[in-house]
Amino acid sequence: MNLIVMGGPACGKGVQTKHICEKYDLLHISTGDLLREVINSNTTNSQKIKEIITTGNLVSDDLIYELVLQKLSQNTKKGYVLDGFPRTSNQALMLDVNQNIDAVILLETDYETTLKRVLGRRVCVHCKASLNVDELKGKRCPYCSGAVSTRLDDNETTFKKRYEIYKMQSAPLIKYYEDKGILYRVLNNSSIDETSKKIDEILSKLKV
Ligand code: AMP
């Protein structure tokens, strides 16, 4: 089973993709995480990518597709979930060349809820768990005790920019996948568990 989880910035893609991958034994491909790995590796591209992410812009289609292909070529699982890719029509076309996607889960949230989530989001440096500042009793990750930090792009100015870019460049993909008959809308306005249940219902009915 090959899936895409899409939605606006901080709509909960990472958390729900993690759940799906654990339940169905699929490979989690988060393009945001792949880019953050490149930034941490201090290679020639690192500084340029850091600037792009910090300002809320998108990295080039060619670079991101190369990272996705690399990850796909190492896949030993029965399928994968793409989290954060494709984000432009061109990326969707690139993906279609040799990949078959069974379903696209669109997580729908509103601007105010996601902004609040962004401002309270912390990420575990070690296990990459996405955490909310309110659930952090100490300064360490509750799952692995790793240190936690704030993402470069989790501030109001960058969020606004990311939201605009989502509406202009990524939202058109909704129609693209709707026309293919593989788009499933999930309202993500309550708890993580309730959203996971809604996704499970959809996936359990998929004939793949
Ligand atoms: P995310 O962790 O998915 O929220 O992504 C963080 C940032 O990484 C985005 O705001 C973009 O700057 C960059 N990024 C992630 N995925 C892509 C993509 N598919 N295309 C271009 N840029 C991306």
Side-chain angles (χ1 to χ4, degrees):
M1 179 159 67
N2 299 334
L3 307 171
I4 294 170
V5 175
M6 68 171 287
C11 66
K13 295 188 294 288
V15 171
Q16 293 304 334
T17 302
K18 189 166 182 283
H19 163 80
I20 300 169
C21 289
E22 280 166 7
K23 184 159 174 145
Y24 294 91
D25 193 28
L26 303 171
L27 177 72
H28 184 161
I29 304 180
S30 156
T31 43
D33 282 351
L34 293 176
L35 291 169
R36 284 181 282 274
E37 274 170 29
V38 178
I39 292 176
N40 291 335
S41 68
N42 270 325
T43 49
T44 37
N45 273 336
S46 302
Q47 192 51 34
K48 200 170 143 215
I49 292 175
K50 189 173 178 180
E51 273 166 35
I52 293 173
I53 293 191
T54 310
T55 50
N57 289 296
L58 296 181
V59 306
S60 78
D61 292 338
D62 287 339
L63 170 69
I64 204 77
Y65 188 54
E66 196 185 311
L67 291 174
V68 170
L69 280 186
Q70 248 174 40
K71 192 83 184 164
L72 280 174
S73 69
Q74 298 156 0
N75 193 11
T76 53
K77 307 238 178 203
K78 291 175 285 186
Y80 56 81
V81 186
L82 293 167
D83 154 12
F85 182 92
R87 260 176 157 99
T88 65
S89 304
N90 193 29
Q91 290 177 15
L93 294 174
M94 286 167 139
L95 186 67
D96 276 351
V97 172
N98 55 13
Q99 297 295 320
N100 181 45
I101 301 297
D102 300 299
V104 178
I105 305 288
L106 172 68
L107 294 178
E108 298 184 300
T109 47
D110 62 82
Y111 183 86
E112 291 307 325
T113 313
T114 40
L115 174 62
K116 203 169 149 218
R117 205 178 279 163
V118 157
L119 299 181
R121 177 160 63 182
R122 300 293 179 274
V123 180
C124 172
V125 176
H126 182 64
C127 74
K128 308 278 184 292
S130 183
L131 310 157
N132 185 281
V133 73
D134 298 332
E135 23 164 53
L136 285 172
K137 297 199 178 67
K139 295 230 178 305
R140 319 271 327 167
C141 169
Y143 305 109
C144 74
S145 303
V148 295
S149 71
T150 305
R151 277 174 44 160
L152 292 170
D153 48 355
D154 277 350
N155 58 72
E156 191 163 352
T157 312
T158 308
F159 178 75
K160 272 191 189 149
K161 176 79 183 173
R162 293 171 71 207
Y163 202 82
E164 270 169 33
I165 289 191
Y166 172 74
K167 281 200 297 187
M168 278 186 320
Q169 306 229 45
S170 311
L173 295 177
I174 298 171
K175 183 164 183 326
Y176 180 75
Y177 289 117
E178 218 159 30
D179 289 349
K180 285 176 177 275
I182 58 169
L183 186 96
Y184 298 85
R185 291 172 186 267
V186 175
L187 196 58
N188 187 14
N189 60 349
S190 47
S191 70
I192 291 176
D193 286 350
E194 274 179 47
T195 302
S196 301
K197 268 190 214 149
K198 291 183 207 166
I199 295 175
D200 289 344
E201 261 174 48
I202 293 167
L203 297 182
S204 64
K205 288 184 198 141
L206 277 188
K207 295 187 179 60
V208 288

